[in-house]
Amino acid sequence: MGKKPAPPPDLVPGTLEMLILKTLTHGPMHGYGIAQRLEQLSEGVLQVGEGSLYPALQRLLLNEWAEAEWAVTANNRRARYYRVTAAGRRRLAQERAGYDRMSVAIARIMEAV
Amino acid sequence: MRRLWKRLQWFRHRKQFDAELAEELEFHRQLKQEELQSAGLTEPESRDAARRRMGNLALATEDARGIWLWHSLETLWQDFTYGLRGLARHRGFTLTAVLTLALGIGVNTSLFTGFNAMVFRPWDVRDPGRVAGVFTVHKTPSGEIRYRGMSYPEFTILRDQTKQMAGLVALSQGGPQMRTDPGASSRLSVNYVSGDYFQVLGIDAAWGRTFTREEDQLADPSAVLVLSHAVWVSQFGSDRSIVGRTISLNYKPFVVLGVLPENFKGTDMVGPDLWTPLAAIKILQPRSTELSSVDQCCMAVFGRLAPNVDRAQARDELTAIQRQAAERFNRPANAIFLTRASIVVTPERQKKIIPGLLLLSLAVSLVLLIACANVANLLLARGAARRHEIGVRLSLGASRLRIIRQLLTESLSLGLLGGAIGIGISFVLPGFVLNRLADEPLALDLQPDYRVLLYTLFISILASVTCGLIPAFHTTRTDLHTTMKGAGGKTGRPSWLRTSLLGAQVALSLVLLASTGLLVRGLQRAARIDPGFDTRGVVLMALDLGLLDYDAARAQDFLRRLTARVSALPGVTSVSTAVIAPLGNARMRTSVTVNGQEALAKNGLNNVTFNEVSPGFLETLRIPITRGRSFQTQDQGRKVAIINQAMAQRFWPGLNPVGRTFTSDLAYEVIGVSRNAQETQLGRATEPYYYSLSHGSSSSQLVIRFRDTQNAPLSELTALPSQLDRAVRPRLRLMEDSIQSQLHGARMATSIGGSLGFLALLLACVGIYGVTSFVVQQRFREIGIRMALGAQRRDVLLLLLRQSLRVVVAGSLIGMAASVAAASALREFLYGLSPLDPAAHLAMTAILLSAALLATFLPARRAATIQPVVVLRQE
């Protein structure tokens, strides 16, 4: 009965977390920055809505894959910066391996047909 | 586990979380707005656009929170508050259900409180987890395991050699000693304890100080003592200046060193009035061999484990030392058994209290079951009334499980409220009962502790589920179609479920009531028990000569002169002495050998009870001689004995024992056989018994027969001993009172049983009343129509009575069968009454039936007053 936060319709569940973790490996970022970065890197293909970004960030916090800290931005505004943890890096490596296998498998099937 | 912790952390800081999330989203929105503004939009345009682009912020917030929330936790809370709101709306229902559960839970919690105080709760000492009782393990010839203390010499060896115990102390129950201050004579019970007893247990005096090991030197005993808080209040008027003063015990001056804190009541079931060093035995009881003899078994020993030592290590070490000690004293070695530091610790003592506790717990469980059945029925009735509401919710898409969970949460609220009141009951009830049960104030700490709270929580939840589960399933099993049409739940007849719950309640109540009936009948019978001697007109006079340092010869002389004076009083028909007073709950036991009957020893059947008396004793009590002759004055000094019929039967079955001999400490010649009498305890099975002649004993009592006790010159009698020795303070006891006090336990058992039985009856009647009222309400329409069609009030009344009584009678029949089966457990308390005693069973069934009739009649009568017009107008 519980309304679980819906995953973005265009992403496999869990993928968003992987992408966020990957983004965070370059250094601490706030939520807006992460959204921007994802949009830029995917050249506008991935438009991450706030409705899925913030739940995903909370999930990272709950699992201790990321930690958050309030800091002041270059424009002197308070923002919450997220940083990937050691556990988060391990998780990313796992996800990455799984993703690689999966994408190779999908590619093979798509080419075979 | 970590996630659980983080979730709980989150729950604690959820306000802050919400604020931070809001701030974060607002920051996001601002950046978005600036981004749009720099793309050329005006400020208001960009604000709106940013908001639109952000989508549903409330949903985003909820979803972000949802990550942390336990969904079930949240709905549980919702259900709980919803349930409480519902309960607050139906105050009558809530009050009935909560009180019913509170009574059921309260009696259970009270029983557990008593049990907890005896078995689980440690003494109020420093770090009780490191304190251990030290027992030696013995095996009786018949193979039973017994736990004993040890002799003082044995204890000193253990104390001096142990490395695993940081301190080892001994305690001897001194029994009552005489306070002999001028104008303040009283008996004070004493514990003789090792000098470092208080240091090892970690107890400091509330005022003054406790004694030390230097004051416990056998060679130079110090006459010092420490008072209990209770006796300091009751006998010394809470006077702090008592510390340092001298009081007189058995005419010996003792210095009061200090007063103990109120919460320390000693280390046994009954707390002593004062403590002295062990060495002071030499001052108070100079004749005692307790500190020198290795034959004395029973000094209680306990100690504190040394740091980093566990019980197994300490036990092994002590067992090894004990073996050496036993070798040195040429006695059998025993294993050592370590216990926790609470009041009832050895398996042996636990075995003694367990049968009674089991019976009681059975009874209180029955009460709780009845209460649960009651509340279940109330919930069913309420559920039926809520069919419509639940039907609406089900048809709006709520899942059945969700509603069941919500209903269960509601009964859980009821159970927890009941449990809270139950705890309140357990603050009062156990102390009230135990203080009436025991002759002496008990050293039990009956304040509910965390164990009691946990137990109450446990049975509250258990009771909630028991009474809530079936109604919850039943209520949600609705036919939506009929419910929504508005006719649901008005099917008239009470469901089979409600009927069987009611029947079960009646049956269980009858079990408790019948047990009460049996106990009452047993008590009546006990009051008529023939103890085998004539109790009327007999007065017992205890003299406590032993406390005054009398030896046998002096005691003999004193008793002879006192007997002469007492005989001269008007109304006295006979005077004699006995070491053991009849019906005093005390007895002396010895093993006996008879030529040709050696086999009896194997089963312990050669143990007999005996008494040392003066020649006229049997005549004073009017115990008839059936064979041979009674004692005569010229027997004094001879080794002759009179045995009872039971002893004759055991050792010389079918033979005439007169003229034969048996050996206990010495060889005795049997000169007569007396009729069996119950001298130790009323209602106890007759035991083999012999009387021999006393050669003077400082523990002898006077047994005096008056023509009648009403006109007996008791004050003159009391004055006589002090004319011979002003130190002697006699205590008088009427034999008839002794019989009453013998029945004290049975009377208590009966009143406890009676209260529980009454409670059960009350609950059952509330149940019957409730269900009948409910039926009346549900059949309101039907009854109105019946009456409109010409039914008489009498018909309506009969209709309802018949319906309810069918259930009650069926329940009673089951209950009768169950109580017949249960009654045999009570056999021990019935003084020979048959557990099937028809009077008890039938009378209680009759009481139950009439109470049930009344509980049905009241609501049924209301139904009979229904005005058909009112009903028809409602339609």
Side-chain angles (χ1 to χ4, degrees):
Chain A
M1 285 165 305
K3 282 178 293 155
K4 287 270 152 53
D10 50 349
L11 278 178
V12 182
T15 318
L16 181 58
E17 276 95 331
M18 179 178 77
L19 297 181
I20 296 174
L21 281 175
K22 173 70 185 160
T23 316
L24 288 177
T25 50
H26 298 292
M29 267 187 204
H30 49 63
Y32 178 78
I34 296 171
Q36 293 288 97
R37 189 53 159 288
L38 288 175
E39 208 172 321
Q40 281 166 18
L41 288 178
S42 67
E43 293 171 350
V45 174
L46 283 179
Q47 295 227 351
V48 180
E50 292 70 28
S52 33
L53 174 66
Y54 285 95
L57 283 171
Q58 298 301 331
R59 235 183 332 264
L60 293 183
L61 288 183
L62 174 64
N63 289 312
E64 295 187 328
W65 293 331
E67 48 194 28
E69 200 178 21
W70 287 91
V72 177
T73 65
N75 299 340
N76 221 10
R77 273 195 280 211
R78 239 167 75 85
R80 181 140 64 171
Y81 279 84
Y82 293 85
R83 183 201 320 268
V84 62
T85 61
R89 284 178 200 281
R90 279 198 297 279
R91 177 74 192 175
L92 180 60
Q94 280 170 21
E95 295 259 340
R96 171 99 204 211
Y99 167 76
D100 286 348
R101 275 203 308 280
M102 184 61 76
S103 58
V104 167
I106 292 174
R108 273 190 195 139
I109 292 166
M110 297 308 282
E111 279 156 25
V113 174
Chain B
M1 202 55 216
R2 277 195 68 85
R3 281 165 60 132
L4 174 66
W5 176 242
K6 291 205 75 159
R7 280 198 157 113
L8 289 175
Q9 287 287 323
W10 174 86
F11 194 72
R12 271 181 52 208
H13 303 296
R14 61 190 185 282
K15 282 246 167 59
Q16 193 193 344
F17 172 88
D18 287 349
E20 288 185 347
L21 191 65
E23 188 182 346
E24 198 173 9
L25 287 169
E26 172 60 17
F27 169 75
H28 194 114
R29 196 195 59 74
Q30 280 174 15
L31 288 187
K32 198 121 208 163
Q33 185 180 345
E34 281 162 25
E35 179 193 323
L36 292 168
Q37 240 168 329
S38 63
L41 289 168
T42 64
E43 211 211 305
E45 276 174 351
S46 63
R47 191 186 306 133
D48 289 348
R51 238 180 233 143
R52 259 198 314 279
R53 292 272 294 275
M54 292 280 288
N56 189 342
L57 268 187
L59 191 63
T61 316
E62 272 306 300
D63 284 347
R65 293 185 60 179
I67 299 299
W68 291 90
L69 257 186
W70 240 324
H71 197 70
S72 47
L73 194 74
E74 194 193 3
T75 50
L76 191 73
W77 182 247
Q78 272 178 8
D79 287 353
F80 196 63
T81 47
Y82 181 86
L84 283 182
R85 277 202 304 276
L87 293 181
R89 263 202 308 278
H90 297 93
R91 272 194 214 113
F93 161 81
T94 309
L95 202 67
T96 317
V98 166
L99 282 183
T100 306
L101 283 176
L103 285 174
I105 293 171
V107 288
N108 277 273
T109 301
S110 298
L111 178 64
F112 181 79
T113 305
F115 182 69
N116 179 45
M118 280 187 250
V119 177
F120 293 132
R121 195 176 190 126
W123 303 324
D124 210 337
V125 300
R126 171 166 40 82
D127 194 8
R130 302 292 295 164
V131 175
V134 180
F135 291 84
T136 54
V137 184
H138 298 253
K139 210 167 191 175
T140 64
S142 51
E144 281 171 274
I145 303 289
R146 295 260 186 266
Y147 299 84
R148 295 269 175 271
M150 55 188 82
S151 69
Y152 186 73
E154 215 175 331
F155 157 73
T156 52
I157 292 178
L158 258 67
R159 177 192 65 197
D160 296 341
Q161 293 192 12
T162 180
K163 304 238 164 12
Q164 312 280 17
M165 302 294 279
L168 203 61
V169 293
L171 177 151
S172 165
Q173 299 272 11
Q177 306 295 319
M178 201 73 80
R179 182 177 169 206
T180 44
D181 285 320
S185 83
S186 56
R187 288 152 63 82
L188 296 173
S189 66
V190 180
N191 272 5
Y192 303 111
V193 294
S194 296
D196 50 353
Y197 173 84
F198 296 106
Q199 285 82 36
V200 168
L201 290 181
I203 293 183
D204 293 322
W207 292 283
R209 64 175 180 92
T210 57
F211 41 79
T212 61
R213 229 169 135 171
E214 281 65 54
E215 283 156 317
D216 184 25
Q217 303 295 331
L218 291 193
D220 176 26
S222 305
V224 292
L225 60 84
V226 176
L227 293 175
S228 78
H229 192 275
V231 86
W232 174 68
V233 171
S234 65
Q235 293 213 9
F236 299 93
S238 307
D239 177 9
R240 293 197 191 189
S241 72
I242 188 70
V243 171
R245 290 224 302 264
T246 302
I247 65 169
S248 170
L249 282 184
N250 301 354
Y251 293 99
K252 313 280 173 22
F254 270 73
V255 177
V256 178
L257 291 182
V259 178
L260 289 183
E262 194 173 0
N263 55 8
F264 182 73
K265 300 187 175 91
T267 47
D268 205 345
M269 192 86 114
V270 179
D273 297 320
L274 51 92
W275 288 258
T276 76
L278 272 169
I281 295 180
K282 294 194 152 190
I283 305 174
L284 282 172
Q285 295 170 301
R287 242 159 262 289
S288 165
T289 54
E290 201 165 2
L291 296 179
S292 51
S293 163
V294 291
D295 296 322
Q296 301 265 4
C297 72
C298 298
M299 217 160 251
V301 174
F302 37 88
R304 186 174 289 281
L305 296 166
N308 303 321
V309 170
D310 64 33
R311 277 159 199 268
Q313 288 169 313
R315 186 196 58 215
D316 294 345
E317 187 212 39
L318 290 174
T319 302
I321 302 174
Q322 204 275 340
R323 188 171 304 133
Q324 293 167 19
E327 223 163 86
R328 170 155 4 144
F329 297 132
N330 202 14
R331 301 177 64 81
N334 301 107
I336 295 285
F337 180 79
L338 293 191
T339 64
R340 281 174 302 115
S342 56
I343 291 194
V344 178
V345 284
T346 58
E348 193 181 341
R349 286 180 75 172
Q350 284 171 2
K351 220 183 279 169
K352 255 188 206 159
I353 61 167
I354 276 172
L357 278 174
L358 267 184
L359 266 184
L360 258 183
S361 64
L362 203 70
V364 295
S365 310
L366 283 184
V367 171
L368 184 60
L369 260 179
I370 294 169
C372 283
N374 226 338
V375 174
N377 246 337
L378 284 172
L379 284 170
L380 273 177
R382 193 163 125 84
R386 286 169 73 178
R387 282 251 159 107
H388 190 73
E389 173 204 335
I390 287 166
V392 169
R393 294 180 59 190
L394 283 172
S395 49
L396 286 179
S399 79
R400 185 172 169 209
L401 200 69
R402 179 79 178 76
I403 291 182
I404 287 178
R405 204 166 58 181
Q406 192 242 311
L407 290 175
L408 272 184
T409 317
E410 203 173 283
S411 55
L412 191 67
S413 321
L414 288 175
L416 292 180
L417 284 172
I421 303 179
I423 288 266
I425 293 177
S426 75
F427 264 98
V428 190
L429 192 60
F432 180 81
V433 173
L434 278 171
N435 280 333
R436 268 150 200 77
L437 199 59
D439 315 333
E440 297 155 284
L442 296 178
L444 292 177
D445 192 347
L446 295 168
Q447 293 292 319
D449 59 0
Y450 74 94
R451 298 180 198 85
V452 174
L453 292 181
L454 278 180
Y455 174 81
T456 310
L457 186 67
F458 170 72
I459 65 163
S460 302
I461 293 174
L462 196 70
S464 312
V465 174
T466 310
C467 69
L469 203 58
I470 294 175
F473 273 94
H474 190 77
T475 306
T476 51
R477 202 181 51 206
T478 25
D479 179 3
L480 283 187
H481 196 64
T482 50
T483 309
M484 296 311 289
K485 276 200 318 208
K490 296 203 175 172
T491 43
R493 265 160 235 295
S495 70
W496 63 269
L497 192 57
R498 231 172 290 144
T499 312
S500 39
L501 276 174
L502 198 64
Q505 226 175 332
V506 169
L508 293 175
S509 312
L510 188 57
V511 172
L512 280 177
L513 279 176
S515 308
T516 308
L518 282 172
L519 287 173
V520 170
R521 293 265 301 156
L523 197 61
Q524 284 175 349
R525 190 189 177 95
R528 289 197 308 266
I529 285 181
D530 177 15
F533 54 90
D534 187 357
T535 58
R536 286 163 305 162
V538 175
V539 176
L540 301 170
M541 185 196 270
L543 297 158
D544 300 312
L545 298 177
L547 301 182
L548 302 170
D549 209 9
Y550 272 63
D551 59 15
R554 235 180 111 203
Q556 180 83 328
D557 179 55
F558 180 87
L559 290 169
R560 194 174 43 75
R561 290 193 293 150
L562 183 60
T563 305
R565 293 201 177 203
V566 170
S567 309
L569 282 177
V572 172
T573 58
S574 165
V575 185
S576 54
T577 71
V579 170
I580 299 295
L583 297 184
N585 280 337
R587 58 178 185 164
M588 296 190 288
R589 300 273 285 168
T590 182
S591 59
V592 159
T593 49
V594 169
N595 281 336
Q597 295 289 354
E598 286 77 9
L600 288 174
K602 235 178 270 163
N603 304 316
L605 287 176
N606 62 336
N607 285 319
V608 302
T609 310
F610 72 102
N611 201 350
E612 292 177 5
V613 300
S614 68
F617 178 76
L618 292 165
E619 286 74 18
T620 306
L621 286 187
R622 299 195 175 139
I623 299 175
I625 300 290
T626 58
R627 255 181 165 156
R629 63 178 179 86
S630 183
F631 294 122
Q632 280 149 17
T633 326
Q634 59 268 31
D635 288 327
Q636 198 70 264
R638 291 179 57 205
K639 291 285 142 197
V640 292
I642 294 173
I643 64 175
N644 71 353
Q645 292 165 320
M647 182 160 168
Q649 183 60 33
R650 165 108 25 117
F651 290 92
W652 297 277
L655 300 172
N656 182 0
V658 175
R660 296 173 197 267
T661 57
F662 64 90
T663 313
S664 56
D665 53 335
L666 297 159
Y668 287 92
E669 184 198 338
V670 178
I671 58 166
V673 178
S674 66
R675 205 176 68 189
N676 289 335
Q678 295 182 344
E679 284 208 34
T680 311
Q681 206 180 357
L682 214 54
R684 202 188 183 109
T686 311
E687 46 191 359
Y689 204 108
Y690 77 81
Y691 308 88
S692 63
L693 288 174
S694 165
H695 309 292
S697 160
S698 55
S699 39
S700 279
Q701 309 202 8
L702 239 56
V703 185
I704 307 150
R705 176 175 291 284
F706 285 93
R707 222 162 273 128
D708 61 288
T709 36
Q710 262 90 37
N711 304 315
L714 295 183
S715 52
E716 283 98 321
L717 183 61
T718 314
L720 283 179
S722 51
Q723 291 172 9
L724 296 172
D725 178 346
R726 63 165 188 86
V728 175
R729 289 173 210 276
R731 288 174 292 131
L732 294 190
R733 189 157 58 98
L734 293 168
M735 198 60 150
E736 280 131 337
D737 294 347
S738 299
I739 291 196
Q740 289 309 310
S741 71
Q742 286 274 318
L743 296 179
H744 180 72
R747 207 173 291 127
M748 277 312 298
T750 309
S751 50
I752 292 175
S755 317
L756 290 175
F758 177 73
L759 197 60
L761 182 67
L762 190 74
L763 289 177
C765 285
V766 168
I768 295 169
Y769 181 90
V771 168
T772 314
S773 322
F774 175 72
V775 168
V776 167
Q777 196 195 333
Q778 294 284 296
R779 298 178 74 172
F780 191 70
R781 198 168 63 132
E782 178 204 331
I783 293 169
I785 292 171
R786 274 174 191 261
M787 291 181 80
L789 292 177
Q792 296 299 304
R793 291 181 53 176
R794 207 172 56 99
D795 301 329
V796 173
L797 212 56
L798 276 179
L799 173 82
L800 289 167
L801 283 181
R802 212 168 27 231
Q803 187 181 335
S804 160
L805 283 187
R806 233 188 344 243
V807 183
V808 171
V809 168
S812 305
L813 287 177
I814 298 170
M816 268 172 102
S819 42
V820 164
S824 58
L826 288 173
R827 195 180 289 273
E828 196 187 328
F829 306 97
L830 295 185
Y831 294 97
L833 182 82
S834 159
L836 300 179
D837 182 58
H841 287 277
L842 291 178
M844 287 302 154
T845 312
I847 288 179
L848 181 80
L849 284 177
S850 29
L853 198 64
L854 189 70
T856 315
F857 183 71
L858 292 177
R861 206 186 45 174
R862 221 178 34 232
T865 61
I866 291 176
Q867 296 293 323
V869 187
V870 177
V871 180
L872 295 176
R873 206 178 288 143
Q874 270 186 3
E875 281 302 309

